Amino acid sequence: ASVSKTVTATAILQLYEHGLFELDDDVNNYLPFSLRNPSFPEVPITFRMLLSHHASLHDHDEATAYEYFGGDYPFSYVGELLDPSGSDFHAEFWGDNQPGTGGNYSNLGFTVLGYLVELLSGESLESYCQEHIFQPLYMYNTSFDLDSLNQDQIACQYYRFGRIYFKIPLVDYTFIDSCGGLLSSVNDLSYFLTAHMNNGEYKGVRILNEPTIKEMHKIQYPDSPAYYGILRFGLGWLIFGEE
């Protein structure tokens, strides 16, 4: 689920370290559509804002990226949803606050970031993460692609009807990969977490430099009120309480 966001953020920050953008760059310089809150059309939305849920995007009631859509779409479809000139624009995904002035949790913000990984790297999110995160960290049971894994080993949900349990089929929607579509194991995730705890390195393999790791785990907008009174936002990470 949303642990996927930490992987997407790591991929984005790797591309940042390669000098492809700055954290406070306007993402419109890299997207094929205009990402602007219609209420604040002159205010740029930056990578930092998207990574820290401060882009004034938010999930509207139950209409999250997981539940709102009836089928699969490419990442590029996010432009049709968020750009007022798009074919399926939904104003409710934009908040009333100016970008950068308050935190609102957004799955669609990380769908945009997944799209940016692909645009900046020239690879699919899956291919990029396999080459630069999963394989280097020995995460051999991790993928965004359901078909590439042994489905007999994947945990599934059941629906209970009385004393009868019905297995809920697994689904694989590319559109939610970067915000919640990662498939992994406890062991694999422990290697990824250890790398973050060890300033970007695991078993001699470095996925990010120490200053970048520290920035990811730092509260980005300390003057913003805590989300639900307890949560702050790093870059792709939630921070409970104060640092």
Side-chain angles (χ1 to χ4, degrees):
S2 285
V3 172
S4 310
K5 293 178 174 66
T6 63
V7 173
T8 300
T10 298
I12 279 283
L13 269 295
Q14 286 181 335
L15 296 167
Y16 156 77
E17 287 191 342
H18 281 90
L20 296 181
F21 64 91
E22 296 296 329
L23 287 174
D24 295 310
D25 281 353
D26 181 349
V27 296
N28 276 3
N29 296 332
Y30 306 89
L31 290 169
F33 64 90
S34 177
L35 188 69
R36 286 284 193 276
N37 186 323
S39 298
F40 303 94
E42 303 304 318
V43 180
I45 291 175
T46 67
F47 287 87
R48 190 187 304 275
M49 291 174 184
L50 286 171
L51 285 161
S52 59
H53 298 278
H54 273 69
S56 72
L57 288 164
H58 66 99
D59 289 345
H60 179 69
D61 297 329
E62 295 301 317
T64 69
Y66 297 95
E67 300 164 343
Y68 192 78
F69 308 103
D72 196 17
Y73 303 87
F75 283 139
S76 58
Y77 177 64
V78 73
E80 303 299 324
L81 293 169
L82 300 179
D83 186 343
S85 67
S87 63
D88 201 10
F89 174 63
H90 285 275
E92 64 266 29
F93 285 119
W94 289 107
D96 296 329
N97 60 299
Q98 179 175 315
T101 63
N104 290 289
Y105 193 87
S106 173
N107 283 296
L108 285 177
F110 269 77
T111 299
V112 174
L113 287 165
Y115 190 25
L116 283 163
V117 170
E118 298 196 339
L119 291 169
L120 290 164
S121 70
E123 303 178 57
S124 68
L125 179 68
E126 167 71 5
S127 295
Y128 179 88
C129 289
Q130 285 293 342
E131 181 179 354
H132 298 282
I133 300 175
F134 304 151
Q135 296 303 312
L137 293 182
Y138 313 99
M139 298 170 67
Y140 301 135
N141 292 299
T142 300
S143 177
F144 290 104
D145 180 11
L146 176 65
D147 291 336
S148 70
L149 299 172
N150 182 350
Q151 296 184 31
D152 291 336
Q153 295 182 337
I154 297 175
C156 64
Q157 293 180 314
Y158 290 84
Y159 174 76
R160 188 181 73 174
F161 184 77
R163 297 184 179 182
I164 301 173
Y165 290 81
F166 297 94
K167 185 175 180 179
I168 299 174
L170 296 168
V171 295
D172 187 16
Y173 288 165
T174 299
F175 190 66
I176 67 168
D177 276 353
S178 55
C179 64
L182 187 71
L183 296 158
S184 190
S185 68
V186 172
N187 283 345
D188 278 16
L189 287 177
S190 75
Y191 309 150
F192 177 77
L193 180 59
T194 300
H196 270 270
M197 294 172 66
N198 197 35
N199 295 317
E201 185 176 344
Y202 175 70
K203 288 189 175 181
V205 174
R206 178 163 292 282
I207 57 168
L208 283 172
N209 295 323
E210 182 173 346
T212 305
I213 289 285
K214 290 187 179 300
E215 187 67 27
M216 291 184 76
H217 300 167
K218 172 185 173 183
I219 295 173
Q220 293 298 306
Y221 292 89
D223 294 332
S224 290
Y227 191 63
Y228 282 108
I230 57 172
L231 290 174
R232 303 283 185 168
F233 296 105
L235 300 176
W237 293 80
L238 297 181
I239 299 170
F240 287 82
E242 300 299 325
E243 291 178 289

